[in-house]
Amino acid sequence: MEKQRITGAEALMRSLENEGVTTLFGYPGGAIMPVFDALYDHKDTLNHVLVRHEQGAAHAAQGYARVSGKVGVCLVTSGPGATNTITGIADAMMDSTPIVVICGQVGANMLGSDAFQECDLVGVTQPISKWAYQIRRPEDIAWAVSRAFYIARSGRPGPVVLDFAKNAQVGMVDYEPENVDFVRSYVPVPKTDPESVVEAARMINEAKRPLVLVGQGVELGEAQEELLQFLELADMPAGCTLLGLSALPSDHRLNMGMLGMHGSLASNRKTQECDLLIAVGMRFDDRITGNLSTYAKQARKIHFEIDPSEVNKNVPVDLAVLGNCKDTLAAVTALMKKQQHTEWIDSFEVHHEEERRIVIEPEIHPQDGPIKMGEVVRKVTEMTGNEAILVTDVGQNQMLSARYFKFTKKRSIVTSGGMGTMGFGIPAAIGATFGAPDRLVCLFMGDGGIQMTIQEFGTIMEQGAPVKMILLNNNYLGNVRQWQEMFFHRRYSFTPMLNPDYNMIASAYNIPNETVVAREELEAAIDRMIHTEGPYLLQVAVIEEGEVMPMCSPGNDVDDMLLQIKKD
Amino acid sequence: MEQDKKFYTLLVFSENFAGVLNQVTAVFTRRQVNIESLNVSASSIKGVHKYTITCWSTEEQISTITKQIEKKIDVLQANYFTDDEIFIQEVGLYKLTTEIAINNPMISKEIRKHGGQIVEMNPTYTIVTKRGMTEDIMSLYHALNDYGCVLQYVRSGRIAVTKSCIEYLDRYLAERKEAYDNMKKQQAKESSACDL
Ligand SMILES: Cc1ncc(C[n+]2csc(CCOP(=O)(O)OP(=O)(O)O)c2C)c(N)n1
Ligand SMILES: [Mg+2]
């Protein structure tokens, strides 16, 4: 291809197009103005979504990436614009989400001089990103951008930061596209030891009471089909992590529910009874394991993992099968024999029954009293045919929507797992509508979290982003209130909250909205929300002092789950 | 717990990019492990930097730390060793008051006994060096210090090479080159198949 002499900013545009980018989330400012100027001529190919705060740009890029499997892109200015994205970068690192954050930076000759809006962004983001690089010369743009996208999406995905010095934006370069598909010092997918495959199949063939832990790795590896064959051939029950919930259809016979602190009674209790624990693309987070010193001590353990540094990090395992689980699951399945574990699987039922009776039924079918979060979630999921994408904010609304939303399609849950970032919901849901324009996006959030990124209503208005927002308003920072109730003698220190009129706010942004207080009105309101074109805010006044149950208190044994709080 | 701790030497190789040192040391900080010594220099391979890092740690912890360091994009390889698996060298530098050193014959005796070398002497000060292990270098320091003649003293970080007959970095680089060549061959095959 003929080389062309163009500006660095223009080279960035072409490099992004070369990576197949179609959508960017961003916000302009001094140090990135040459890039925004170049963007003006690429509006047909690069759809830039103007957010209202750079944190929103980062979370929107995350939401876009999570539902589409593509790299989310975020474009912001230096200094405060860049630091505003940090929560999103850290969140993407924790939850292995591929995003590329491009920030302006002062000119290379001013670096280190405390110039206006200078911030050592590479220094700040190195510990919370997969790779951070400063582009100081226009000649490096094609290479650095391609390398950034390659690193973000390959192997275990993650956020990459490009700090783009202004002189490199305005300088001229003989542009030639680059396609980085190899980095000598970086092995995205470790080699699979063939013996580990044989050994895994042998252990599974011998197991009497196997339990599979399904993580987001299955979604990231696009291994949903391989997982099904693996589970079904050996008739193995499975629990899903929060981020892995849609890797396996919710109503599948072998799906025993969510794992961890607010997971299902059966999957947590059975963790302490299984004879073989098989972790697939998950990292034994403390919210999953509870007390490590008692966690699944009776079981042998296999870990299917793409990131070698996760093996034996929290839970020592007997065998690691390294590689992409799409390949390793298939390879192990090929050596497995058909099995039936009827008795073992049936033994989960008493726990399901106990949970249904004490926790689930009162939550989703309460006879009287205020509306409960769980019943709203279950109504929404049913009325959308269990086919919608669930986006959540953080708190009780997150845990209850994760518990009661049902999934039939892959890549259908977008939630901040590792970081638990309040304010994630609205921008992530906006991103999801761009990443999966053909799907319905339902967002559940609390009255606390909505206010952390409520300015993105402006983005929703401007873009007409069809986010179906359900605000579960309990007039509390509910999750913290629940902990105060349980562990701090009901001293509700700064968790009650005076709320504004959310309908007026939504109306100011031209977003159709309503509020439901009475149970009888709920279904009709959800119906209106679903059938109104474009965005919608449905506020539901829910029980103020509701609890997320069951609960494995932090540090407790994983099978030591509380089913209800005794109220006096 | 404390009893399980051993002294480990980490050998890390990285590309020569800015900021790698920060990333390497940050892994220790996060896991609350103190670095006892650190040496960074060019390696025998052009563009590759070698880090020699020592610390007290448990085997599980050093294994996780090593993997977390190796995971950094620009790090080529990281391995940990115990003292029996490597050849080790450190250097001590001692600056002494010449007047005291000349007037007390015991001092030059101590230097010789410890295998130190006088590398510079002028009327004001005398420079002594000593190669060896930490204890030997420190022991000379304590001996000299007893005579009140030490103006400055410094001990270098450890440097080490492995005793193994296999050169792990060479092997890694050869494997990576092979992986690259195979990938390019595969791509060529695929694109020519498309042409048909
Ligand atoms: C940015 C941020 N700040 C604080 C917290 C701690 N936190 C976790 S849940 C929660 C309460 C959330 O309240 P709300 O949004 O009303 O949701 P609810 O639990 O009531 O459903 C808080 C403060 C957090 N996770 N993230
Ligand atoms: Mg609330």
Side-chain angles (χ1 to χ4, degrees):
Chain A
M1 193 188 266
E2 181 111 347
K3 284 188 192 178
Q4 264 187 307
R5 200 152 176 81
I6 55 176
T7 65
E10 176 64 23
L12 174 67
M13 297 298 111
R14 303 215 188 158
S15 301
L16 293 175
E17 286 168 359
N18 187 47
E19 290 299 326
V21 174
T22 54
T23 309
L24 312 102
F25 303 91
Y27 207 92
I32 196 77
M33 280 184 70
V35 170
F36 272 83
D37 188 62
L39 194 55
Y40 203 65
D41 292 327
H42 289 259
K43 281 194 282 196
D44 294 345
T45 47
L46 297 171
N47 179 23
H48 177 264
V49 177
L50 180 70
V51 295
R52 296 299 184 266
H53 183 293
E54 291 88 350
Q55 181 184 355
H59 292 326
Q62 288 184 274
Y64 177 89
R66 290 270 282 270
V67 299
S68 70
K70 292 192 271 187
V71 179
V73 186
C74 175
L75 184 66
V76 301
T77 190
S78 68
T83 53
N84 275 348
T85 64
I86 284 173
T87 303
I89 296 169
D91 195 292
M93 187 67 174
M94 279 285 228
D95 286 351
S96 309
T97 309
I99 61 170
V100 170
V101 178
I102 303 166
C103 308
Q105 179 59 284
V106 302
N109 63 340
M110 290 167 87
L111 284 168
S113 70
D114 298 323
F116 180 63
Q117 294 191 333
E118 182 193 356
C119 167
D120 177 8
L121 194 72
V122 170
V124 170
T125 57
Q126 238 164 11
I128 52 165
S129 65
K130 197 171 167 187
W131 191 55
Y133 187 78
Q134 188 170 61
I135 304 177
R136 297 193 201 99
R137 310 182 312 157
E139 296 80 21
D140 293 343
I141 293 167
W143 167 83
V145 171
S146 184
R147 199 178 201 254
F149 277 79
Y150 171 66
I151 289 170
R153 70 172 167 254
S154 60
R156 178 177 177 179
V160 172
V161 174
L162 289 176
D163 196 29
F164 196 8
K166 199 162 179 180
N167 62 294
Q169 301 173 32
V170 296
M172 301 300 284
V173 58
D174 293 323
Y175 176 77
E176 207 178 2
E178 285 226 29
N179 291 301
V180 174
D181 53 7
F182 185 85
V183 172
R184 177 171 80 162
S185 56
Y186 164 57
V187 183
V189 184
K191 268 209 230 99
T192 307
D193 177 358
E195 266 172 45
S196 69
V197 172
V198 175
E199 179 62 13
R202 200 184 58 75
M203 286 166 76
I204 292 167
N205 287 340
E206 280 172 8
K208 299 274 175 289
R209 299 184 308 280
L211 179 65
V212 180
L213 312 180
V214 177
Q216 193 197 194
V218 173
E219 300 259 43
L220 295 171
E222 291 289 338
Q224 300 88 352
E225 196 47 49
E226 287 77 6
L227 175 75
L228 269 182
Q229 290 177 7
F230 173 75
L231 295 177
E232 285 170 358
L233 181 66
D235 200 29
M236 295 186 284
C240 298
T241 68
L242 175 63
L243 268 58
L245 278 177
S246 64
L248 183 66
S250 309
D251 282 335
H252 191 283
R253 185 178 69 83
L254 293 169
N255 192 338
M256 298 303 170
M258 187 163 76
L259 296 161
M261 182 174 277
H262 292 300
S264 81
L265 209 51
S267 65
N268 283 334
R269 284 186 178 163
K270 291 295 174 176
T271 302
Q272 304 298 71
E273 282 178 37
C274 63
D275 64 351
L276 181 64
L277 195 69
I278 307 161
V280 186
M282 57 84 72
R283 59 183 176 85
F284 292 106
D285 180 86
D286 55 87
R287 286 296 191 261
I288 296 288
T289 63
N291 183 358
L292 278 177
S293 63
T294 58
Y295 181 76
K297 284 291 170 205
Q298 80 293 343
R300 303 189 72 198
K301 300 179 193 74
I302 306 178
H303 196 170
F304 289 79
E305 187 45 69
I306 198 166
D307 177 356
S309 78
E310 288 299 346
V311 175
N312 295 331
K313 186 184 77 175
N314 293 342
V315 174
V317 294
D318 300 276
L319 176 71
V321 184
L322 296 177
N324 183 338
C325 61
K326 188 175 181 69
D327 305 323
T328 53
L329 282 176
V332 171
T333 306
L335 302 178
M336 274 161 35
K337 52 180 201 218
K338 190 164 171 53
Q339 294 204 63
Q340 269 197 320
H341 293 295
T342 314
E343 205 179 312
W344 166 236
I345 290 169
D346 289 349
S347 73
F348 283 66
E349 185 48 37
V350 287
H351 305 290
H352 286 323
E353 198 283 320
E354 185 182 349
E355 184 177 346
R356 256 197 307 272
R357 184 165 40 83
I358 302 173
V359 182
I360 300 177
E361 277 307 311
E363 180 70 32
I364 63 174
H365 295 132
Q367 296 310 310
D368 43 31
I371 300 177
K372 293 203 161 169
M373 288 192 184
E375 73 177 303
V376 183
V377 174
R378 190 46 72 86
K379 279 233 155 65
V380 171
T381 189
E382 278 167 1
M383 292 173 69
T384 54
N386 302 326
E387 289 191 343
I389 289 172
L390 168 68
V391 183
T392 83
D393 207 82
V394 165
Q396 295 185 313
N397 61 88
Q398 173 188 37
M399 288 299 117
L400 287 167
S401 51
R403 280 181 57 80
Y404 296 114
F405 210 80
K406 288 191 176 186
F407 305 96
T408 53
K409 296 186 162 174
K410 63 183 185 176
R411 285 191 179 273
S412 293
I413 177 159
V414 181
T415 188
S416 170
M419 279 282 277
T421 305
M422 281 173 73
F424 175 83
I426 299 174
I430 295 171
T433 63
F434 284 92
D438 301 332
R439 297 189 60 189
L440 189 69
V441 175
C442 296
L443 162 65
F444 288 89
M445 56 188 165
D447 44 319
I450 185 179
Q451 296 186 73
M452 288 209 173
T453 46
I454 199 164
Q455 72 283 350
E456 299 307 335
F457 275 11
T459 313
I460 291 175
M461 169 178 68
E462 188 166 80
Q463 301 290 333
V467 184
K468 307 299 179 190
M469 298 182 276
I470 301 111
L471 168 59
L472 300 171
N473 191 340
N474 55 9
N475 281 320
Y476 271 112
L477 299 174
N479 213 77
V480 180
R481 188 211 56 78
Q482 177 175 341
W483 284 45
Q484 288 170 335
E485 177 180 11
M486 295 174 70
F487 311 123
F488 291 88
H489 309 287
R490 297 197 181 165
R491 286 154 55 89
Y492 291 167
S493 179
F494 300 99
T495 46
M497 215 176 10
L498 179 63
N499 273 308
D501 183 331
Y502 292 107
N503 296 102
M504 277 177 77
I505 296 177
S507 295
Y509 283 98
N510 216 6
I511 296 171
N513 60 84
E514 66 183 296
T515 293
V516 168
V517 180
R519 177 161 291 119
E520 311 77 68
E521 298 163 6
L522 184 59
E523 229 173 83
I526 294 172
D527 193 63
R528 276 190 295 277
M529 173 183 78
I530 295 170
H531 292 102
T532 302
E533 199 146 313
Y536 202 90
L537 176 71
L538 171 58
Q539 171 171 232
V540 186
V542 294
I543 180 170
E544 295 205 335
E545 298 191 24
E547 281 93 27
V548 186
M549 287 288 143
M551 176 166 183
C552 173
S553 298
N556 269 20
D557 299 346
V558 67
D559 57 344
D560 179 9
M561 289 193 95
L562 192 65
L563 287 159
Q564 59 199 143
I565 302 178
K566 304 262 177 307
K567 303 233 179 193
D568 32 51
Chain B
M1 260 323 246
E2 287 294 311
Q3 287 88 325
D4 301 338
K5 284 198 177 172
K6 277 205 246 167
F7 198 67
Y8 288 99
T9 301
L10 238 86
L11 298 183
V12 180
F13 295 93
S14 85
E15 302 287 9
N16 182 17
F17 277 169
V20 180
L21 175 61
N22 268 342
Q23 296 184 64
V24 170
T25 55
V27 175
F28 285 87
T29 315
R30 269 189 87 189
R31 308 290 307 197
Q32 299 169 64
V33 173
N34 284 333
I35 291 176
E36 295 290 330
S37 78
L38 166 68
N39 180 282
V40 190
S41 67
S43 74
S44 59
I45 296 161
K46 193 166 168 263
V48 173
H49 273 218
K50 175 168 176 171
Y51 302 67
T52 312
I53 305 162
T54 62
C55 66
W56 287 95
S57 167
T58 60
E59 164 107 46
E60 292 106 74
Q61 199 165 34
I62 197 70
S63 155
T64 302
I65 286 176
T66 305
K67 285 191 279 186
Q68 288 180 336
I69 289 175
E70 194 165 71
K71 181 173 160 179
K72 302 288 171 196
I73 298 292
D74 297 320
V75 169
L76 290 152
Q77 206 177 38
N79 288 300
Y80 64 91
F81 302 91
T82 47
D83 283 1
D84 52 325
E85 299 169 306
I86 47 180
F87 293 105
I88 302 161
Q89 200 62 258
E90 289 169 18
V91 181
L93 277 177
Y94 315 75
K95 183 176 178 181
L96 314 179
T97 312
T98 302
E99 200 185 317
I100 306 177
I102 288 178
N103 289 335
N104 192 337
M106 286 307 288
I107 292 180
S108 64
K109 220 167 150 192
E110 285 291 350
I111 295 172
R112 256 177 286 127
K113 198 176 91 192
H114 281 87
Q117 264 186 312
I118 296 174
V119 292
E120 163 87 31
M121 188 180 253
N122 64 34
T124 318
Y125 60 80
T126 300
I127 305 291
V128 174
T129 69
K130 154 125 192 78
R131 290 188 286 117
M133 301 287 281
T134 315
E135 307 77 56
D136 310 331
I137 293 165
M138 287 189 28
S139 140
L140 175 57
Y141 166 70
H142 290 305
L144 293 171
N145 203 35
D146 287 346
Y147 298 104
C149 63
V150 181
L151 293 167
Q152 290 182 40
Y153 157 67
V154 66
R155 183 165 56 81
S156 76
R158 163 180 290 198
I159 54 172
V161 292
T162 59
K163 287 182 180 171
S164 162
C165 295
I166 302 163
E167 295 310 319
Y168 289 100
L169 181 64
D170 290 348
R171 188 150 91 179
Y172 172 83
L173 291 174
E175 271 173 21
R176 294 301 289 153
K177 182 162 183 333
E178 192 186 320
Y180 180 76
D181 293 342
N182 286 343
M183 188 183 77
K184 287 293 152 192
K185 257 186 241 158
Q186 186 67 28
Q187 284 172 353
K189 222 190 269 169
E190 275 161 23
S191 74
S192 69
C194 290
D195 292 343
L196 289 179

